[in-house]
Amino acid sequence: MTLESPLPVTTNFLRNIIESDLASGRFQGKRWAGAPGPASALTSAGGDPARIRTRFPPEPNGYLHIGHAKSICLNFGLARDYGGICHLRFDDTNPEKEEQEYVDSIIEAVKWLGFDWTVGQTEHLYFASDYFGIMYDFAQALIRAGHAYVDEQSPETMRAMRGTLTEPGKNSPWRDRPAEESLRLLQEMREGLHPDGSMALRARIDMGSPNINLRDPVLYRIRHATHHRTGNDWCIYPMYAWAHPVEDALEGITHSICTLEFEDQRPFYDWTLERLRDLGQLADPLPHQYEFARLNLSYVVTSKRKLLQLVKDGYVDGWDDPRMPTLAGLRRRGYTPGSLRLFCERTGVSKSNSRIDYSLLEQALREDQDPVAQRSVAILDPVKLVITNFPADQTEPCQAPRNPHDPDAGNRNFPFTRELWIEREDFTENPPKKYFRLFPGNKVRLKYGYVVTCTGCVKDADGRVTEVHAEYDPATKSGTDGANLVKVKGTITWVSAAHAVQAEIRLYDRLFSQPFPDAGDADFLASLNPESRQVVQGWLEPGTVAQKNSVWQFERLGYFVPDLIDGTPDNPVFNRTTTLKDTWAPGV
Ligand code: ATP
Ligand code: MG
């Protein structure tokens, strides 16, 4: 199902479960009618061609973030590896917060990550809202069987009667009303005859259960709200905890994988499915819920509510701000689908919560891109280096590998001239110990060019260096015989001033200065890093073009991608994805 071949996988408890389910034939006899549906739709259906079915079920109430990538890679990856199918399902049961904009962005993000839900002719893209009719039938069936009732207590009273962890709840006075009455009231709720909060449909389970989730949970509430897909067709909406198992069962999901917070909901998940199965509404084998630890990444927040706040209150430029942990932001920042899949695979699947350091994400990008990123040179804090013994009208062609790991990529060409841009920090008048770069009297290699000897500098009235001067040694050109006879301790990068391409370069730091900005009750806004973005005007090696999907490694500086939203090929803007691991040692 993925477009690219899978990574080497490490086993995990979910893989073990699936393998033992497949070995025991747990899903033998499972049918699939070609589309989701209740038991009645399966009577003449053939066997399910998918050995397992998983799903990624986002609520379209925000943009996807790195935590969702984990769930996507897991669910689509398991389906891929075990001959299964993974559904993309929008869990759109909460009309007030959901929007088409989010649906579109989610579809785009999952595709971008490299996953696909079309198998043969069938697109396994589903919407919970398409099941509202069936869910309503199921609710009626539960009422008729005595498993649900309409409660006319206010939401506050219901909450008060629910009890606590140490005290049982109390039965509602409406709990034992006749089924006919509940059926009629549910019908009236649906017809819009009652205001929000005036009544609700509740499961009739056990107000004394030690598991609060089993104390007659609400199945349907009244919400006079317009839904982004069903418009005003409905004014009652199912609650997530009830709707979710129903959605899974209608879609023939075998392994319903969610995060640990839902562990306490599993008994209600099973209660719902078993009651509906016993009533003939759903067919065996039923889905089973499994929980794994959510991804908690340091230096970011991943609650959609908090991300929305960052956007709405202008702390970032939008959902796709390169500092955001959204997939749209990570993409703009330069994270590739391969790097995110590698990160998700490598951070594993666990049953206990842990925290993952942001540096693992950066490392995944480096590993993904080091073999392929095009090399180039950028000078971010330029000062002019004048080669005083090099003629002003001369250009000397130089070359360097496009990617040292990939000889087939060939070489890049760029000129050496009398006036170059170098990094300001690569010159000093008074070198500290172990400083091997330019200072009067010292020799360094201009990478891919010549060895030069620094002869001094020019300063303005404020004492700021405006030009560095040096003389080159014509016998030392890189790649020519004898080039290495002159030994130097430092090598620096440069670009020809007359040929370099000017670009805006955006350098990013962590958006938050605390590793876990929203841990406990902390106000996450208090630890926003005011210096999370630095914008500089730099000079790029000629040929460094700002094209779509081009990832660059600027030597010494890190991985960069063009920002095609704010920049154009003629006015390039580059975002730094991450710095380099310190493998290129220019001398201090
Ligand atoms: P939020 O609470 O911020 O709104 P959510 O978990 O409710 O996020 P959903 O749209 O319901 O967002 O999530 C879709 C799927 O992604 C769910 O199955 C959820 O378990 C999974 N998911 C969300 N966040 C993470 C995370 N940090 N790690 C792993 N899976 C996650
Ligand atoms: Mg959710």
Side-chain angles (χ1 to χ4, degrees):
M1 302 203 24
T2 49
L3 304 176
E4 285 156 52
S5 61
L7 299 157
V9 290
T10 29
T11 195
N12 58 51
F13 78 98
L14 291 169
R15 288 181 179 273
N16 294 341
I17 288 167
I18 291 170
E19 282 164 23
S20 93
D21 286 346
L22 289 174
S24 71
R26 186 167 155 203
F27 308 117
Q28 249 156 36
K30 182 174 176 315
R31 287 167 295 166
W32 172 251
S40 57
L42 292 173
T43 42
S44 56
D48 191 343
R51 292 175 79 210
I52 62 166
R53 282 184 193 261
T54 55
R55 84 287 172 267
F56 172 63
E59 186 182 349
N61 63 348
Y63 279 62
L64 297 184
H65 54 62
I66 183 75
H68 293 115
K70 178 95 193 182
S71 177
I72 294 167
C73 290
L74 182 60
N75 282 295
F76 280 92
L78 290 171
R80 171 197 65 211
D81 293 348
Y82 293 101
I85 293 176
C86 180
H87 299 182
L88 174 60
R89 178 206 310 150
F90 287 97
D91 211 326
D92 55 349
T93 54
N94 217 352
E96 285 110 328
K97 293 185 182 164
E98 297 163 0
E99 287 173 32
Q100 186 62 37
E101 177 196 348
Y102 298 134
V103 171
D104 297 340
S105 80
I106 290 170
I107 288 178
E108 201 197 339
V110 181
K111 279 193 184 155
W112 174 74
L113 257 189
F115 297 101
D116 185 9
W117 45 87
T118 302
V119 181
Q121 301 295 312
T122 312
E123 215 189 330
H124 295 280
L125 171 66
Y126 301 114
F127 290 85
S129 53
D130 285 341
Y131 311 142
F132 283 167
I134 299 175
M135 288 176 176
Y136 187 76
D137 294 345
F138 284 7
Q140 289 178 316
L142 289 175
I143 296 174
R144 277 189 215 103
H147 294 313
Y149 61 97
V150 171
D151 191 351
E152 292 178 56
Q153 295 180 114
S154 68
E156 297 73 40
T157 311
M158 274 191 227
R159 214 170 297 128
M161 300 273 279
R162 220 172 148 215
T164 62
L165 284 173
T166 50
E167 278 173 53
K170 294 196 191 78
N171 286 352
S172 160
W174 307 105
R175 195 170 195 266
D176 294 319
R177 75 191 327 167
E180 289 68 40
E181 219 175 277
S182 285
L183 284 170
R184 178 175 53 78
L185 287 171
L186 180 66
Q187 176 75 26
E188 289 181 11
M189 283 166 60
R190 181 192 172 157
E191 285 168 3
L193 302 184
H194 300 287
D196 288 6
S198 57
M199 53 185 77
L201 182 70
R202 295 180 76 177
R204 196 162 178 280
I205 310 180
D206 179 6
M207 290 304 290
S209 172
N211 182 339
I212 291 187
N213 299 301
L214 291 179
R215 294 183 189 168
D216 291 10
V218 172
L219 308 184
Y220 264 102
R221 73 232 143 107
I222 304 173
R223 275 283 176 284
H224 289 269
T226 304
H227 186 281
H228 68 106
R229 291 186 80 243
T230 58
N232 294 319
D233 290 354
W234 295 88
C235 62
I236 57 172
Y237 290 94
M239 298 299 285
Y240 176 86
W242 182 71
H244 203 82
V246 170
E247 294 157 21
D248 283 345
L250 293 175
E251 293 180 20
I253 300 302
T254 53
H255 299 82
S256 176
I257 299 163
C258 61
T259 44
L260 282 178
E261 320 82 89
F262 290 95
E263 198 167 3
D264 290 347
Q265 290 284 3
R266 183 157 22 97
F268 180 54
Y269 183 100
D270 291 339
W271 180 94
T272 297
L273 296 183
E274 286 161 14
R275 296 292 99 55
L276 290 167
R277 188 243 347 252
D278 295 348
L279 292 169
Q281 304 289 338
L282 294 174
D284 275 320
L286 296 174
H288 197 286
Q289 174 182 303
Y290 301 92
E291 306 87 19
F292 75 106
R294 64 193 296 121
L295 171 72
N296 290 313
L297 188 63
S298 65
Y299 296 100
V300 300
V301 294
T302 50
S303 145
K304 279 189 248 181
R305 182 180 60 77
K306 291 172 189 162
L307 293 172
L308 182 65
Q309 196 179 344
L310 291 173
V311 173
K312 287 260 149 85
D313 296 347
Y315 294 104
V316 294
D317 292 345
W319 286 102
D320 64 353
D321 186 300
R323 293 165 295 182
M324 289 281 273
T326 52
L327 296 186
L330 290 165
R331 176 181 183 174
R332 190 167 167 195
R333 175 78 169 262
Y335 282 93
T336 54
S339 66
L340 297 180
R341 292 196 300 264
L342 177 63
F343 169 76
C344 291
E345 180 59 43
R346 188 171 281 168
T347 49
V349 180
S350 149
K351 271 202 226 194
S352 54
N353 278 316
S354 65
R355 295 172 163 191
I356 302 288
D357 197 77
Y358 197 88
S359 60
L360 260 77
L361 183 61
E362 297 176 323
Q363 188 51 27
L365 186 274
R366 295 185 191 113
E367 281 179 43
D368 184 63
Q369 285 304 308
D370 185 41
V372 290
Q374 312 174 71
R375 271 39 173 191
S376 181
V377 166
I379 302 298
L380 302 188
D381 182 15
V383 69
K384 207 162 256 184
L385 174 66
V386 181
I387 312 297
T388 50
N389 61 340
F390 195 89
D393 55 358
Q394 194 174 319
T395 57
E396 174 67 25
C398 296
Q399 58 175 11
R402 285 190 205 283
N403 183 309
H405 305 300
D406 179 10
D408 292 345
N411 285 329
R412 50 191 227 256
N413 300 298
F414 43 89
F416 183 88
T417 54
R418 178 182 166 90
E419 296 199 355
L420 311 174
W421 292 115
I422 61 166
E423 294 287 355
R424 185 167 283 280
E425 62 164 27
D426 286 343
F427 169 78
T428 182
E429 275 187 287
N430 304 302
K433 257 194 166 162
K434 294 198 174 168
Y435 184 95
F436 298 125
R437 289 168 280 167
L438 289 168
F439 56 86
N442 194 39
K443 285 186 190 337
V444 300
R445 172 164 293 282
L446 299 179
K447 200 174 185 196
Y448 312 121
Y450 296 92
V451 170
V452 297
T453 306
C454 183
T455 53
C457 67
V458 177
K459 289 192 260 186
D460 64 14
D462 300 330
R464 187 174 155 86
V465 175
T466 52
E467 272 179 16
V468 179
H469 287 184
E471 288 178 357
Y472 87 117
D473 178 345
T476 59
K477 188 175 175 200
S478 293
T480 60
D481 287 347
N484 293 328
L485 291 177
V486 178
K487 298 290 177 209
V488 293
K489 285 190 174 165
T491 303
I492 65 171
T493 43
W494 54 274
V495 291
S496 164
H499 299 87
V501 177
Q502 192 162 29
E504 175 176 317
I505 313 242
R506 299 174 179 177
L507 306 169
Y508 299 101
D509 197 351
R510 309 271 193 259
L511 184 54
F512 295 96
S513 49
Q514 293 291 326
F516 292 96
D518 53 357
D521 288 333
D523 168 16
F524 70 106
L525 294 174
S527 61
L528 270 171
N529 173 6
E531 273 148 35
S532 57
R533 178 170 60 195
Q534 193 198 342
V535 179
V536 300
Q537 294 295 323
W539 292 102
L540 310 181
E541 181 185 305
T544 313
V545 286
Q547 270 166 350
K548 208 176 162 194
N549 296 328
S550 61
V551 178
W552 294 89
Q553 186 196 104
F554 294 162
E555 301 194 20
R556 299 168 79 183
L557 300 172
Y559 292 91
F560 292 75
V561 290
D563 188 303
L564 297 170
I565 293 170
D566 291 347
T568 63
D570 292 334
N571 287 302
V573 175
F574 278 82
N575 292 317
R576 175 151 71 186
T577 318
T578 173
T579 53
L580 287 185
K581 205 172 141 195
D582 226 3
T583 49
W584 196 85
V588 183

